[in-house]
Amino acid sequence: MVKQIISIALFLIFLCNTTAWAQKKVPSEVVAADTLKSIDIDPLTPAKAAFYSAVLPGLGQAYNKRYWKIPLVYGAIGTSLYFYIDSNKKYHQFRDAYKRRLEGYTDDEFSYLDNNRLIAGQKFYQRNRDLSSLFIVGFYVLNIIDANVDAALMQFNVDDRLSVKPTLYQNSLNYKTNVGLSLNYNF
């Protein structure tokens, strides 16, 4: 029993001495080296891009340097504007012809149509005009949202050291192949 106590005491003394010997003086001022490159993040960039797109459609995409999106913005808004103008013109043609018909004239361009067809034509083109105006507003808002989201996503760190890859691994119990997803970050 005494031998066990002495051996435990010697072991503890030896252990305490080795940890004391392993320590070395640490300088009073320790500076850690930054191994990651810091990307300057400007929280106002998405707001600027959205503001520019609100002022002039496509300007936010130019601010984000996504020049290929500018023709898409103008194509969508321009096409909707074309259909709005065309439907509005035809709506007024049907409306004017119906008004003239009520006044007793039958010498308009739609003399082959009866009153019910003129009313149906008015309703059809009025509905198309209203839908086209909704599309104009929708594409305008979508332009602003796209510029905002694109500017926000440009600030994310997407480098080769961060990867998500599907992996196949073998189960150690039944030796069947399993599918997994691994998230790797290399320093």
Side-chain angles (χ1 to χ4, degrees):
M1 179 83 169
V2 175
K3 282 186 178 183
Q4 289 178 341
I5 294 175
I6 292 174
S7 63
I8 291 174
L10 286 176
F11 178 72
L12 288 175
I13 292 171
F14 178 73
L15 186 65
C16 291
N17 285 336
T18 55
T19 57
W21 292 330
Q23 293 179 358
K24 63 179 180 177
K25 279 198 160 191
V26 178
S28 62
E29 191 175 313
V30 177
V31 177
D34 189 12
T35 58
L36 298 176
K37 284 191 248 178
S38 175
I39 299 173
D40 294 333
I41 296 176
D42 184 12
L44 296 179
T45 300
K48 280 183 189 177
F51 175 74
Y52 290 152
S53 278
V55 170
L56 181 67
L59 194 58
Q61 283 75 12
Y63 175 74
N64 292 335
K65 295 182 178 69
R66 304 282 193 218
Y67 302 110
W68 63 272
K69 290 183 179 182
I70 297 172
L72 298 177
V73 169
Y74 281 107
I77 293 175
T79 303
S80 301
L81 188 63
Y82 168 78
F83 282 116
Y84 175 82
I85 293 169
D86 186 53
S87 296
N88 191 39
K89 184 178 97 173
K90 289 181 180 176
Y91 164 74
H92 284 291
Q93 287 175 346
F94 275 90
R95 186 171 145 248
D96 293 342
Y98 181 68
K99 282 182 173 180
R100 287 184 51 83
R101 196 70 63 84
L102 291 178
E103 292 175 357
Y105 299 105
T106 58
D107 60 345
D108 54 39
E109 61 183 308
F110 300 112
S111 59
Y112 57 92
L113 297 176
D114 61 348
N115 288 347
N116 291 335
R117 295 288 181 191
L118 288 175
I119 292 171
Q122 285 181 59
K123 288 181 181 177
F124 176 76
Y125 287 112
Q126 183 180 18
R127 181 176 182 273
N128 285 351
R129 179 191 66 184
D130 295 344
L131 282 175
S132 295
S133 66
L134 286 176
F135 275 107
I136 291 170
V137 171
F139 285 129
Y140 178 75
V141 170
L142 190 62
N143 156 56
I144 295 169
I145 292 171
D146 174 63
N148 188 336
V149 169
D150 196 26
L153 290 178
M154 283 175 34
Q155 296 181 4
F156 280 106
N157 183 10
V158 186
D159 59 358
D160 294 334
R161 295 182 299 166
L162 180 63
S163 64
V164 177
K165 296 178 186 175
T167 58
L168 295 173
Y169 63 94
Q170 192 172 19
N171 190 348
S172 61
L173 296 176
N174 56 9
Y175 297 109
K176 289 186 179 179
T177 304
N178 293 329
V179 178
L181 194 65
S182 67
L183 173 66
N184 298 322
Y185 186 74
N186 299 328
F187 292 98

